[in-house]
PDB file of all heavy atoms in Angstrom:
ATOM      1  N   SER A  18      81.012 110.233  99.058  1.00 97.00           N
ATOM      2  CA  SER A  18      80.523 109.345  98.008  1.00 97.00           C
ATOM      3  C   SER A  18      79.201 108.770  98.491  1.00 97.00           C
ATOM      4  O   SER A  18      79.129 108.181  99.554  1.00 97.00           O
ATOM      5  CB  SER A  18      81.495 108.192  97.731  1.00 97.00           C
ATOM      6  OG  SER A  18      80.870 107.299  96.825  1.00 97.00           O
ATOM      7  N   THR A  20      77.271 106.610  96.654  1.00 97.00           N
ATOM      8  CA  THR A  20      77.146 105.223  96.057  1.00 97.00           C
ATOM      9  C   THR A  20      78.374 104.908  95.192  1.00 97.00           C
ATOM     10  O   THR A  20      78.969 105.797  94.669  1.00 97.00           O
ATOM     11  CB  THR A  20      75.854 105.089  95.220  1.00 97.00           C
ATOM     12  OG1 THR A  20      75.826 103.768  94.660  1.00 97.00           O
ATOM     13  CG2 THR A  20      75.824 106.091  94.072  1.00 97.00           C
ATOM     14  N   ASP A  21      78.687 103.628  95.115  1.00 96.00           N
ATOM     15  CA  ASP A  21      79.752 103.295  94.159  1.00 96.00           C
ATOM     16  C   ASP A  21      79.193 102.840  92.791  1.00 96.00           C
ATOM     17  O   ASP A  21      79.912 102.631  91.903  1.00 96.00           O
ATOM     18  CB  ASP A  21      80.641 102.143  94.764  1.00 96.00           C
ATOM     19  CG  ASP A  21      79.794 100.886  95.058  1.00 96.00           C
ATOM     20  OD1 ASP A  21      78.615 101.055  95.402  1.00 96.00           O
ATOM     21  OD2 ASP A  21      80.329  99.773  94.929  1.00 96.00           O
ATOM     22  N   LYS A  22      77.866 102.785  92.723  1.00 96.00           N
ATOM     23  CA  LYS A  22      77.233 102.311  91.493  1.00 96.00           C
ATOM     24  C   LYS A  22      77.228 103.429  90.425  1.00 96.00           C
ATOM     25  O   LYS A  22      77.200 104.623  90.775  1.00 96.00           O
ATOM     26  CB  LYS A  22      75.746 101.996  91.766  1.00 96.00           C
ATOM     27  CG  LYS A  22      75.539 100.701  92.386  1.00 96.00           C
ATOM     28  CD  LYS A  22      74.050 100.361  92.294  1.00 96.00           C
ATOM     29  CE  LYS A  22      73.719  99.231  93.207  1.00 96.00           C
ATOM     30  NZ  LYS A  22      72.480  99.332  93.857  1.00 96.00           N
ATOM     31  N   LEU A  36      81.441  96.820  87.974  1.00 91.00           N
ATOM     32  CA  LEU A  36      82.182  96.299  89.090  1.00 91.00           C
ATOM     33  C   LEU A  36      81.237  95.565  90.018  1.00 91.00           C
ATOM     34  O   LEU A  36      80.033  95.616  89.869  1.00 91.00           O
ATOM     35  CB  LEU A  36      82.858  97.444  89.814  1.00 91.00           C
ATOM     36  CG  LEU A  36      83.876  98.211  88.971  1.00 91.00           C
ATOM     37  CD1 LEU A  36      84.235  99.544  89.670  1.00 91.00           C
ATOM     38  CD2 LEU A  36      85.129  97.385  88.750  1.00 91.00           C
ATOM     39  N   ASP A  37      81.839  94.852  91.001  1.00 91.00           N
ATOM     40  CA  ASP A  37      80.989  94.243  92.051  1.00 91.00           C
ATOM     41  C   ASP A  37      80.603  95.380  92.990  1.00 91.00           C
ATOM     42  O   ASP A  37      81.430  95.876  93.745  1.00 91.00           O
ATOM     43  CB  ASP A  37      81.762  93.176  92.836  1.00 91.00           C
ATOM     44  CG  ASP A  37      82.083  91.984  91.954  1.00 91.00           C
ATOM     45  OD1 ASP A  37      81.197  91.731  91.051  1.00 91.00           O
ATOM     46  OD2 ASP A  37      83.062  91.296  92.134  1.00 91.00           O
ATOM     47  N   TRP A  38      79.349  95.826  92.914  1.00 94.00           N
ATOM     48  CA  TRP A  38      78.963  96.946  93.751  1.00 94.00           C
ATOM     49  C   TRP A  38      78.959  96.525  95.231  1.00 94.00           C
ATOM     50  O   TRP A  38      78.810  95.337  95.561  1.00 94.00           O
ATOM     51  CB  TRP A  38      77.579  97.455  93.379  1.00 94.00           C
ATOM     52  CG  TRP A  38      77.315  97.649  91.937  1.00 94.00           C
ATOM     53  CD1 TRP A  38      76.336  97.168  91.196  1.00 94.00           C
ATOM     54  CD2 TRP A  38      78.049  98.491  91.026  1.00 94.00           C
ATOM     55  NE1 TRP A  38      76.417  97.571  89.876  1.00 94.00           N
ATOM     56  CE2 TRP A  38      77.439  98.408  89.742  1.00 94.00           C
ATOM     57  CE3 TRP A  38      79.200  99.294  91.153  1.00 94.00           C
ATOM     58  CZ2 TRP A  38      77.959  99.070  88.622  1.00 94.00           C
ATOM     59  CZ3 TRP A  38      79.691  99.997  89.993  1.00 94.00           C
ATOM     60  CH2 TRP A  38      79.075  99.852  88.781  1.00 94.00           C
ATOM     61  N   LEU A  39      79.110  97.505  96.100  1.00 94.00           N
ATOM     62  CA  LEU A  39      79.091  97.200  97.561  1.00 94.00           C
ATOM     63  C   LEU A  39      77.737  96.697  97.939  1.00 94.00           C
ATOM     64  O   LEU A  39      76.683  97.246  97.474  1.00 94.00           O
ATOM     65  CB  LEU A  39      79.370  98.504  98.323  1.00 94.00           C
ATOM     66  CG  LEU A  39      80.761  99.069  98.284  1.00 94.00           C
ATOM     67  CD1 LEU A  39      80.757 100.506  98.719  1.00 94.00           C
ATOM     68  CD2 LEU A  39      81.668  98.217  99.147  1.00 94.00           C
ATOM     69  N   PRO A  40      77.644  95.643  98.769  1.00 95.00           N
ATOM     70  CA  PRO A  40      76.348  95.250  99.240  1.00 95.00           C
ATOM     71  C   PRO A  40      75.661  96.322 100.105  1.00 95.00           C
ATOM     72  O   PRO A  40      76.325  97.032 100.826  1.00 95.00           O
ATOM     73  CB  PRO A  40      76.663  94.005 100.101  1.00 95.00           C
ATOM     74  CG  PRO A  40      78.087  93.690  99.892  1.00 95.00           C
ATOM     75  CD  PRO A  40      78.745  94.883  99.295  1.00 95.00           C
ATOM     76  N   LYS A  41      74.358  96.377  99.963  1.00 95.00           N
ATOM     77  CA  LYS A  41      73.618  97.512 100.605  1.00 95.00           C
ATOM     78  C   LYS A  41      73.921  97.665 102.121  1.00 95.00           C
ATOM     79  O   LYS A  41      74.149  98.791 102.600  1.00 95.00           O
ATOM     80  CB  LYS A  41      72.105  97.364 100.372  1.00 95.00           C
ATOM     81  CG  LYS A  41      71.324  98.511 100.877  1.00 95.00           C
ATOM     82  CD  LYS A  41      70.249  98.922  99.923  1.00 95.00           C
ATOM     83  CE  LYS A  41      69.674 100.253 100.344  1.00 95.00           C
ATOM     84  NZ  LYS A  41      68.293 100.229 100.809  1.00 95.00           N
ATOM     85  N   PRO A  42      73.986  96.547 102.893  1.00 97.00           N
ATOM     86  CA  PRO A  42      74.255  96.736 104.321  1.00 97.00           C
ATOM     87  C   PRO A  42      75.591  97.422 104.627  1.00 97.00           C
ATOM     88  O   PRO A  42      75.783  97.946 105.689  1.00 97.00           O
ATOM     89  CB  PRO A  42      74.225  95.309 104.872  1.00 97.00           C
ATOM     90  CG  PRO A  42      73.562  94.477 103.840  1.00 97.00           C
ATOM     91  CD  PRO A  42      73.776  95.135 102.505  1.00 97.00           C
ATOM     92  N   GLU A  43      76.475  97.348 103.665  1.00 96.00           N
ATOM     93  CA  GLU A  43      77.801  97.998 103.867  1.00 96.00           C
ATOM     94  C   GLU A  43      77.779  99.522 103.652  1.00 96.00           C
ATOM     95  O   GLU A  43      78.681 100.235 104.060  1.00 96.00           O
ATOM     96  CB  GLU A  43      78.837  97.324 102.983  1.00 96.00           C
ATOM     97  CG  GLU A  43      79.163  95.915 103.423  1.00 96.00           C
ATOM     98  CD  GLU A  43      80.365  95.320 102.669  1.00 96.00           C
ATOM     99  OE1 GLU A  43      81.163  96.045 102.113  1.00 96.00           O
ATOM    100  OE2 GLU A  43      80.418  94.094 102.682  1.00 96.00           O
ATOM    101  N   LEU A  44      76.730  99.971 102.936  1.00 97.00           N
ATOM    102  CA  LEU A  44      76.693 101.374 102.616  1.00 97.00           C
ATOM    103  C   LEU A  44      76.188 102.166 103.833  1.00 97.00           C
ATOM    104  O   LEU A  44      75.345 101.653 104.602  1.00 97.00           O
ATOM    105  CB  LEU A  44      75.665 101.633 101.473  1.00 97.00           C
ATOM    106  CG  LEU A  44      75.961 101.055 100.129  1.00 97.00           C
ATOM    107  CD1 LEU A  44      74.900 101.414  99.123  1.00 97.00           C
ATOM    108  CD2 LEU A  44      77.312 101.586  99.616  1.00 97.00           C
ATOM    109  N   LEU A  45      76.657 103.366 103.977  1.00 98.00           N
ATOM    110  CA  LEU A  45      76.082 104.233 105.042  1.00 98.00           C
ATOM    111  C   LEU A  45      74.597 104.451 104.722  1.00 98.00           C
ATOM    112  O   LEU A  45      74.257 104.643 103.539  1.00 98.00           O
ATOM    113  CB  LEU A  45      76.801 105.549 105.051  1.00 98.00           C
ATOM    114  CG  LEU A  45      78.287 105.621 105.442  1.00 98.00           C
ATOM    115  CD1 LEU A  45      78.795 107.058 105.485  1.00 98.00           C
ATOM    116  CD2 LEU A  45      78.530 104.951 106.800  1.00 98.00           C
ATOM    117  N   THR A 267      84.027 107.517 101.932  1.00 96.00           N
ATOM    118  CA  THR A 267      83.496 106.612 100.898  1.00 96.00           C
ATOM    119  C   THR A 267      82.050 106.235 101.220  1.00 96.00           C
ATOM    120  O   THR A 267      81.574 106.491 102.313  1.00 96.00           O
ATOM    121  CB  THR A 267      84.366 105.321 100.845  1.00 96.00           C
ATOM    122  OG1 THR A 267      84.234 104.699 102.119  1.00 96.00           O
ATOM    123  CG2 THR A 267      85.821 105.643 100.581  1.00 96.00           C
ATOM    124  N   ALA A 268      81.422 105.628 100.226  1.00 96.00           N
ATOM    125  CA  ALA A 268      80.010 105.251 100.429  1.00 96.00           C
ATOM    126  C   ALA A 268      79.833 104.247 101.574  1.00 96.00           C
ATOM    127  O   ALA A 268      78.717 104.159 102.147  1.00 96.00           O
ATOM    128  CB  ALA A 268      79.450 104.713  99.124  1.00 96.00           C
ATOM    129  N   ASP A 269      80.911 103.538 101.923  1.00 96.00           N
ATOM    130  CA  ASP A 269      80.805 102.599 103.034  1.00 96.00           C
ATOM    131  C   ASP A 269      81.444 103.164 104.292  1.00 96.00           C
ATOM    132  O   ASP A 269      81.847 102.440 105.206  1.00 96.00           O
ATOM    133  CB  ASP A 269      81.352 101.216 102.676  1.00 96.00           C
ATOM    134  CG  ASP A 269      82.795 101.243 102.183  1.00 96.00           C
ATOM    135  OD1 ASP A 269      83.318 102.373 101.906  1.00 96.00           O
ATOM    136  OD2 ASP A 269      83.403 100.183 102.035  1.00 96.00           O
ATOM    137  N   GLY A 270      81.577 104.469 104.345  1.00 97.00           N
ATOM    138  CA  GLY A 270      81.928 105.127 105.594  1.00 97.00           C
ATOM    139  C   GLY A 270      83.343 105.060 106.008  1.00 97.00           C
ATOM    140  O   GLY A 270      83.702 105.068 107.200  1.00 97.00           O
ATOM    141  N   ARG A 285      82.331 103.860 109.801  1.00 98.00           N
ATOM    142  CA  ARG A 285      81.013 103.182 109.804  1.00 98.00           C
ATOM    143  C   ARG A 285      80.952 102.142 110.894  1.00 98.00           C
ATOM    144  O   ARG A 285      79.986 102.160 111.682  1.00 98.00           O
ATOM    145  CB  ARG A 285      80.785 102.475 108.419  1.00 98.00           C
ATOM    146  CG  ARG A 285      79.453 101.721 108.371  1.00 98.00           C
ATOM    147  CD  ARG A 285      79.490 100.663 107.302  1.00 98.00           C
ATOM    148  NE  ARG A 285      80.539  99.636 107.551  1.00 98.00           N
ATOM    149  CZ  ARG A 285      81.063  98.827 106.665  1.00 98.00           C
ATOM    150  NH1 ARG A 285      80.680  98.955 105.417  1.00 98.00           N
ATOM    151  NH2 ARG A 285      82.014  97.960 107.027  1.00 98.00           N
ATOM    152  N   ARG A 324      91.187 100.689  95.594  1.00 76.00           N
ATOM    153  CA  ARG A 324      89.839 101.036  95.200  1.00 76.00           C
ATOM    154  C   ARG A 324      89.897 101.976  94.001  1.00 76.00           C
ATOM    155  O   ARG A 324      90.694 102.904  93.964  1.00 76.00           O
ATOM    156  CB  ARG A 324      89.177 101.808  96.293  1.00 76.00           C
ATOM    157  CG  ARG A 324      88.901 101.039  97.529  1.00 76.00           C
ATOM    158  CD  ARG A 324      87.514 101.306  97.957  1.00 76.00           C
ATOM    159  NE  ARG A 324      87.384 101.540  99.350  1.00 76.00           N
ATOM    160  CZ  ARG A 324      86.197 101.543  99.964  1.00 76.00           C
ATOM    161  NH1 ARG A 324      85.102 101.385  99.249  1.00 76.00           N
ATOM    162  NH2 ARG A 324      86.116 101.723 101.218  1.00 76.00           N
ATOM    163  N   SER A 327      85.562 105.321  91.268  1.00 79.00           N
ATOM    164  CA  SER A 327      84.097 105.268  91.479  1.00 79.00           C
ATOM    165  C   SER A 327      83.768 104.803  92.863  1.00 79.00           C
ATOM    166  O   SER A 327      82.735 105.137  93.399  1.00 79.00           O
ATOM    167  CB  SER A 327      83.482 104.285  90.451  1.00 79.00           C
ATOM    168  OG  SER A 327      84.068 103.024  90.602  1.00 79.00           O
ATOM    169  N   ALA A 328      84.667 104.006  93.525  1.00 77.00           N
ATOM    170  CA  ALA A 328      84.425 103.548  94.840  1.00 77.00           C
ATOM    171  C   ALA A 328      84.942 104.527  95.929  1.00 77.00           C
ATOM    172  O   ALA A 328      84.429 104.574  97.035  1.00 77.00           O
ATOM    173  CB  ALA A 328      85.055 102.184  95.094  1.00 77.00           C
ATOM    174  N   ILE A 329      85.904 105.340  95.541  1.00 79.00           N
ATOM    175  CA  ILE A 329      86.506 106.332  96.515  1.00 79.00           C
ATOM    176  C   ILE A 329      85.587 107.562  96.576  1.00 79.00           C
ATOM    177  O   ILE A 329      85.345 108.114  97.636  1.00 79.00           O
ATOM    178  CB  ILE A 329      87.877 106.764  96.071  1.00 79.00           C
ATOM    179  CG1 ILE A 329      88.849 105.598  96.067  1.00 79.00           C
ATOM    180  CG2 ILE A 329      88.395 107.878  96.948  1.00 79.00           C
ATOM    181  CD1 ILE A 329      90.188 105.863  95.404  1.00 79.00           C
TER     182      ILE A 329
END
Side-chain angles (χ1 to χ4, degrees):
S18 172
T20 177
D21 60 327
K22 282 194 194 142
L36 297 166
D37 291 331
W38 312 125
L39 289 163
K41 185 138 193 245
E43 290 188 19
L44 297 179
L45 295 182
T267 62
D269 56 350
R285 179 201 62 201
R324 293 225 223 195
S327 57
I329 296 169

